[in-house]
Amino acid sequence: MEENHGPRVALDADAVRAAYRRWAGVYDTVFGGISAFGRKRAVAAVNRLPGSRVLEVGVGTGLALPHYTASKRITGIDLSSDMLARARERVRRDHLSNVDALLEMDAEDTRFADDSFDIAVAMFVASVVPHPRKLLAELKRVVRPGGYILFVNHFLAPTGVRGVIERGMARASHSLGWHPDFAMEALLPPEDLARARIEPVPPAGLFTLVTLEHEVATAEAPKSQEKVVA
């Protein structure tokens, strides 16, 4: 069972789709600038890591896609067909030949086979999905042992004025399509939190980059073999 880390209320898939349908047309203008530092920092981290098979979770309109090195083979997934349509147009316009697929898919329950990727990177997704720990478990399933899982996200400031504002904004979560009051502990269990590399990202540490090397615990349940590569 997922632990409760504050007042966040789960957004269901329909709420997320509806929110991002509203935002799709203006997403690049409204959010592209403020999230650029986090996005570029995450892609730079991916580019430095070993392995070529990369899953980008929450690819959105494809803002990050032009920044990957040519040696990285990118599969992007998103729940919003409106966002994906814009991402596909970006791939065509910018001739991004290293983008293998852009798929409409639930990040908590993908259709990929086990160990399909060397790296998974989730940009501004953890505070959107209904069950963050389920997202983490799914990424651990599809990333090979020894691979890497990265998150760049806004996390709740535990104290201070920003924390008060973020908790106040929580009532607008369904309209925004994300949780301003999202705590890192809602995503990472204590054992992962203790070993994760956590880096604040400009501007003013508003976003955080989390890098987790995927280790398979001896008590981990056997992976399902029912998934197939889409």
Side-chain angles (χ1 to χ4, degrees):
M1 180 180 294
E2 234 172 76
E3 297 179 22
N4 183 11
H5 296 280
R8 77 187 297 274
V9 177
L11 296 174
D12 60 31
D14 288 339
V16 174
R17 287 190 183 95
Y20 283 92
R21 188 175 302 117
R22 291 193 298 271
W23 288 117
V26 296
Y27 185 88
D28 292 5
T29 302
V30 175
F31 295 106
I34 196 170
S35 62
F37 287 105
R39 187 180 308 107
K40 290 178 181 178
R41 184 72 62 89
V43 173
V46 169
N47 287 339
R48 290 192 298 268
L49 291 172
S52 61
R53 301 170 301 163
V54 177
L55 173 65
E56 185 180 329
V57 181
V59 68
T61 62
L63 284 168
L65 295 176
H67 302 290
Y68 292 102
T69 60
S71 63
K72 301 298 187 188
R73 307 300 309 183
I74 313 301
T75 298
I77 64 172
D78 204 284
L79 197 59
S80 169
S81 59
D82 300 88
M83 294 283 198
L84 285 169
R86 293 176 181 273
R88 292 182 183 114
E89 176 55 33
R90 190 185 304 276
V91 168
R92 288 191 293 269
R93 185 186 68 227
D94 295 349
H95 307 289
L96 301 177
S97 59
N98 63 329
V99 178
D100 290 337
L102 295 171
L103 306 170
E104 186 175 345
M105 200 176 290
D106 183 348
E108 294 185 0
D109 185 23
T110 72
R111 299 188 298 272
F112 300 115
D114 298 344
D115 306 335
S116 290
F117 300 97
D118 302 304
I119 303 164
V121 55
M123 302 189 194
F124 314 108
V125 170
S127 53
V128 172
V129 296
H131 311 101
R133 294 280 179 90
K134 188 175 179 182
L135 167 65
L136 177 62
E138 181 68 353
L139 297 187
K140 287 181 176 181
R141 185 187 70 77
V142 302
V143 172
R144 64 170 175 79
Y148 294 86
I149 299 169
L150 292 82
F151 297 94
V152 64
N153 213 87
H154 169 82
F155 293 102
L156 173 68
T159 59
V161 174
R162 201 183 93 190
V164 172
I165 293 171
E166 289 165 352
R167 288 182 176 90
M169 291 174 63
R171 291 186 294 273
S173 292
H174 275 69
S175 296
L176 291 170
W178 59 283
H179 283 282
D181 60 335
F182 182 69
M184 193 177 296
E185 291 81 3
L187 172 65
L188 299 179
E191 61 273 19
D192 285 339
L193 192 59
R195 65 188 184 85
R197 185 164 69 250
I198 299 171
E199 307 168 55
V201 174
L206 182 62
F207 301 113
T208 302
L209 175 63
V210 177
T211 304
L212 191 66
E213 186 171 0
H214 180 27
E215 299 177 348
V216 178
T218 55
E220 186 175 354
K223 290 183 173 183
S224 167
Q225 298 299 320
E226 296 178 359
K227 304 282 184 174
V228 295
V229 176

